[in-house]
Amino acid sequence: MIQQINTSEARVYVGTYRKYNDGSIFGKWLDLSDYANSEEFYTACKKLHDNEEDPEFMFQDYENIPKGLIGECWISDNIFEVLEALEDMDETRKEAFLIWCENGHRKLSEGDISDLISDFDDDYIGEYKDEEDFAYEQVEQMDLPEFAKTYFDYEAYARDLFSGDYWSDSGYVFYNS
């Protein structure tokens, strides 16, 4: 299960490599919600470290930012668009989306967020108790006589479904595109 992320509270502790190498971790937590875009954010970082001519920012810690959007020395160019899109999602959909991204299907830091969400919508099936529960739903949608369903091996069917066309993680089921 993925850690709950409250994107409206995304924040970064911004220091510089120069200060760090000089033995100081001086910096400040900056709330990303205070900035409309990367340009405003970097302007605030420069103002914070205006005692350095050309500060090399070091993002020493961060909170409520999905994996793949930030590293020690970089922040994705589209972080503000991604955080805004995630803010518009309900918690269940957001969790499923982040699981989908983290399973190597797409990188949050690359491409257009609208395209990414559209691809996710194409792959996302729903939330289920387990893979067998999904298989049961699939069988219920088939035009089988009730007596045939009593003989159906849902566990084996689930194993077959998830060895090819589908994958799951933390109860979320996705089409394997």
Side-chain angles (χ1 to χ4, degrees), residues 20-167:
Y20 182 80
N21 289 334
D22 288 344
S24 170
I25 58 168
F26 172 79
K28 182 179 176 185
W29 282 101
L30 298 181
D31 295 327
L32 295 183
S33 61
D34 292 342
Y35 311 100
N37 54 41
S38 293
E39 185 177 327
E40 282 187 16
F41 173 73
Y42 279 113
T43 298
C45 292
K46 288 176 186 168
K47 186 176 179 184
L48 175 62
H49 296 287
D50 62 0
N51 59 339
E52 292 184 37
E53 188 176 319
D54 188 20
E56 187 179 358
F57 302 117
M58 182 179 191
F59 306 117
Q60 295 166 298
D61 200 3
Y62 60 90
E63 295 176 349
N64 292 303
I65 298 176
K67 190 167 84 175
L69 287 177
I70 188 169
E72 182 180 281
C73 62
W74 65 277
I75 289 183
S76 171
D77 291 337
N78 67 351
I79 190 168
F80 288 92
E81 293 84 7
V82 171
L83 292 176
E84 183 179 329
L86 291 174
E87 190 63 30
D88 293 339
M89 291 182 182
D90 65 55
E91 287 305 312
T92 299
R93 189 163 181 254
K94 183 190 306 183
E95 183 176 2
F97 177 73
L98 294 172
I99 286 170
W100 178 80
C101 289
E102 286 187 8
N103 274 277
H105 287 82
R106 304 293 189 282
K107 291 186 178 182
L108 278 174
S109 62
E110 297 174 3
D112 179 73
I113 186 63
S114 298
D115 292 342
L116 193 64
I117 291 172
S118 177
D119 290 346
F120 163 75
D121 287 337
D122 290 343
D123 287 354
Y124 181 55
I125 306 294
E127 185 176 12
Y128 295 85
K129 184 177 72 177
D130 54 30
E131 291 177 353
E132 197 171 321
D133 186 38
F134 175 72
Y136 182 82
E137 181 180 281
Q138 297 300 300
V139 171
E140 284 299 309
Q141 293 175 4
M142 295 177 189
D143 190 23
L144 292 175
E146 284 304 313
F147 83 90
K149 292 177 185 177
T150 62
Y151 292 100
F152 208 89
D153 185 345
Y154 294 98
E155 183 180 344
Y157 186 54
R159 195 172 40 252
D160 289 347
L161 287 172
F162 288 93
S163 68
D165 291 339
Y166 302 94
W167 65 275

